[in-house]
Amino acid sequence: MYALVDGNNFYVSCERAFRPSLVGRPVVVLSNNDGCAIARSNEAKALGIAMGAPWFKIQHLAESSELVALSANFALYGDLSDRMMSLAAGLGPKQEIYSIDESFIDLTGVRGNLVERSFKIRSRILQWVGIPCCIGIGPTKTLAKLANHVAKTAERKPGIYPEQLAQICDFGSLSPDAFELVLAATPVQEVWGIGRRIAEQLNAGGVMTALDLIRIDAATIRAKFSVVVERTVRELQGTACMDLDDAPAPKKEIACTRSFGHPVTALSDLNEAVTHFASRAAEKLRKQGSTAQQLMCFIRTSPFRQDAQYSRSVCMPLRRPTADTATLVTAALSGLKGIYRPGFNYAKAGVMLMDLQADTVHQRELAFDEQEEIRDRSPLMATLDGLNQRFGRGTVLMASAGLAGERRAWVMKQERRTPAYTTCWDDMAIAKA
DNA sequence: TCTGGGGTCCTAGGACCC
DNA sequence: TCTGGGGTCCTAGGACCC
């Protein structure tokens, strides 16, 4: 048996934990650059705000419906996530942290009443961290995920599922008939692994609900779709095809990409931005103990503007695997120089590190070129990371990143950000008697 | 005026090998 | 006139996830 513990409207709940006045109000959290809604409170969902709705299209609701919009505050969300995860881990012996707000728990060997135990964990997370969550339980990960969907929907929209399934839903405790009713009330697109495209094709073939899907035999699905969809169907039918992954593998690629706060035209501005992205990507790379053998750099205009369009990327093979910021920034800037064309309004740029390998692997080289000195700068990088961790991101950076004091067009817009209450001394909330 | 960021996996087809 | 069989690796594109 698996459980899925999932924070409700997670980013919004994090904001509410420190601003209780937001409880009961329609709230959205905006993406970087205050672009579009990436989290919505139940009240905001009730206003009809879609996931990913552009802010400028829903902004009028701030006046008419007292909608509150906040800039994403990932420092806060990450920290509250850690706290929630450590409490969720108490549900069973093994945990897989699947995303910032979700974790699977392996319930093997857990005795007693799973539903009661889940309610206890849920109320502990609510009391200690301030995040409401729902828990789904099922014999496979896909079923646990579906049970979680049922638990959340039963709480938010009465009438679709039995109300006793709200907050905690254990498929294991449902009769076969009750289970079928639940599946029949679930659109096929709500199943984990069935996205918009596959759902369209299924719907066209008359497969509308999870119950319809579960009744198709796996071989037919395999023939019509793929082994991926087949796995989803088998999981729905109760055959576990996915194990709990409690030790995630290192990333195979690491990216840092951003949209700009304002259109950028000058190469000098792009140089600063790309320096930042390459530096940040390099930092992530070192954190996971990897080196990169290839770097990709891209720039693009906005596809949403009636403007001359330009989009190009370039791959830069590296002389040898590296996690050195200076080397990576140099490669990124030289790539950028090659693809930059003047006269465009650039909206976004990014750096991706690829062909990663463990930094414990060292390829010996013959010294063909006596002039070339291979210097190990990893102690310097460790110092750099240490300073930036202790005194804050950007304390020490490459000169080509530019000076932070100046107003820079490419810096992303974050006009409604709340304080980093739990990760910055200056932002700490003060309790008044 | 204003539309996010960061990942993974699978498949088909081409190039190439013996 | 007749033109094999089996395999690997790489890439691009599509689909999915949060």
Side-chain angles (χ1 to χ4, degrees):
Chain A
M1 278 298 206
Y2 295 98
L4 180 72
V5 185
D6 187 329
N8 298 352
N9 313 326
F10 186 67
Y11 297 165
V12 170
S13 296
C14 291
E15 299 289 352
R16 281 176 169 172
F18 283 88
R19 284 175 64 184
S21 64
L22 296 176
V23 174
R25 295 189 59 177
V27 180
V28 293
V29 170
L30 302 175
S31 63
N32 276 340
N33 243 345
D34 296 343
C36 53
I38 53 171
R40 305 156 294 155
S41 70
N42 289 347
E43 298 79 7
K45 289 175 187 170
L47 285 178
I49 298 173
M51 185 66 170
W55 169 234
F56 71 92
K57 286 189 183 170
I58 56 174
Q59 200 169 4
H60 64 276
L61 294 172
E63 306 261 316
S64 60
S65 307
E66 301 207 304
L67 173 68
V68 177
L70 300 168
S71 303
N73 182 349
F74 290 112
L76 176 66
Y77 311 151
D79 187 61
L80 294 195
S81 170
D82 290 345
R83 299 170 192 226
M84 182 178 100
M85 293 305 172
S86 68
L87 294 180
L91 197 52
K94 280 201 285 183
Q95 179 183 41
E96 171 189 341
I97 295 175
Y98 178 68
S99 74
I100 192 161
D101 68 329
E102 292 170 70
S103 69
F104 287 102
I105 312 287
D106 182 354
L107 297 175
T108 305
V110 176
R111 290 185 295 176
N113 185 318
L114 289 177
V115 173
E116 275 174 27
R117 190 182 171 87
S118 299
F119 269 114
K120 276 185 192 155
I121 294 283
R122 184 188 185 279
S123 64
R124 188 179 298 165
I125 292 172
L126 185 60
Q127 192 182 350
W128 292 9
V129 191
I131 303 292
C133 66
C134 287
I135 302 178
I137 299 170
T140 67
K141 285 166 85 172
T142 303
L143 284 167
K145 191 89 170 143
L146 191 62
N148 186 278
H149 167 78
V150 172
K152 274 198 283 191
T153 309
E155 184 182 29
R156 190 162 75 83
K157 291 194 219 161
I160 298 174
Y161 300 114
E163 63 182 305
Q164 65 270 24
L165 300 182
Q167 298 185 354
I168 312 289
C169 171
D170 176 11
F171 280 167
S173 67
L174 250 47
S175 71
D177 288 347
F179 180 57
E180 286 211 345
L181 283 176
V182 164
L183 291 181
T186 306
V188 76
Q189 227 216 284
E190 301 300 338
V191 174
W192 189 41
I194 305 296
R196 191 169 50 85
R197 286 294 168 80
I198 307 272
E200 274 171 18
Q201 294 175 53
L202 285 168
N203 288 170
V207 179
M208 311 305 288
T209 69
L211 185 61
D212 297 335
L213 185 60
I214 209 174
R215 286 180 169 161
I216 305 177
D217 76 291
T220 308
I221 288 287
R222 172 76 173 257
K224 272 198 159 163
F225 296 95
S226 67
V227 64
V228 186
V229 184
E230 180 194 3
R231 205 147 51 202
T232 293
V233 171
R234 285 190 191 275
E235 283 246 322
L236 275 183
Q237 293 165 344
T239 307
C241 305
M242 290 183 268
D243 292 329
L244 194 88
D245 185 10
D246 58 350
K251 300 219 180 306
K252 296 173 181 174
E253 44 192 46
I254 286 175
C256 183
T257 69
R258 290 282 179 283
S259 298
F260 303 137
H262 300 277
V264 165
T265 53
L267 179 60
S268 58
D269 285 333
L270 290 174
N271 277 336
E272 286 187 10
V274 164
T275 297
H276 269 274
F277 304 155
S279 305
R280 177 76 188 114
E283 196 180 311
K284 293 188 201 173
L285 184 69
R286 292 191 291 271
K287 193 172 178 201
Q288 84 157 20
S290 298
T291 54
Q293 299 179 82
Q294 194 166 190
L295 176 148
M296 189 271 270
C297 175
F298 75 86
I299 48 175
R300 62 172 306 164
T301 53
S302 168
F304 300 108
R305 282 173 67 117
Q306 304 295 315
D307 226 2
Q309 296 289 310
Y310 182 78
S311 171
R312 263 191 84 179
S313 67
V314 60
C315 279
M316 307 293 289
L318 298 159
R319 171 71 181 76
R320 54 182 69 83
T322 184
D324 180 75
T325 294
T327 308
L328 292 166
V329 166
T330 304
L333 291 181
S334 113
L336 172 63
K337 195 176 169 191
I339 57 175
Y340 172 76
R341 298 286 177 274
F344 292 100
N345 287 312
Y346 293 99
K348 187 172 180 175
V351 169
M352 281 182 79
L353 305 179
M354 299 177 303
D355 297 354
L356 309 189
Q357 62 175 34
D359 63 6
T360 48
V361 178
H362 293 287
Q363 175 66 52
R364 291 283 168 195
E365 295 178 42
L366 294 172
F368 288 119
D369 184 354
E370 296 284 329
Q371 298 299 310
E372 191 190 29
E373 190 184 357
I374 305 171
R375 196 183 278 146
D376 178 15
R377 278 201 292 247
S378 53
L380 178 62
M381 290 300 114
T383 305
L384 181 76
D385 292 339
L387 287 170
N388 284 333
Q389 212 206 323
R390 181 164 170 194
F391 298 106
R393 198 172 284 168
T395 300
V396 183
L397 31 72
M398 305 295 292
S400 56
L403 294 173
E406 298 165 25
R407 181 76 202 119
R408 292 169 298 177
W410 58 271
V411 170
M412 67 185 175
K413 200 161 65 181
Q414 287 195 306
E415 290 170 350
R416 306 148 182 277
R417 204 172 73 196
T418 52
Y421 298 106
T422 60
T423 53
C424 174
W425 287 111
D426 293 337
D427 287 355
M428 194 177 292
I430 296 168
K432 292 183 181 153

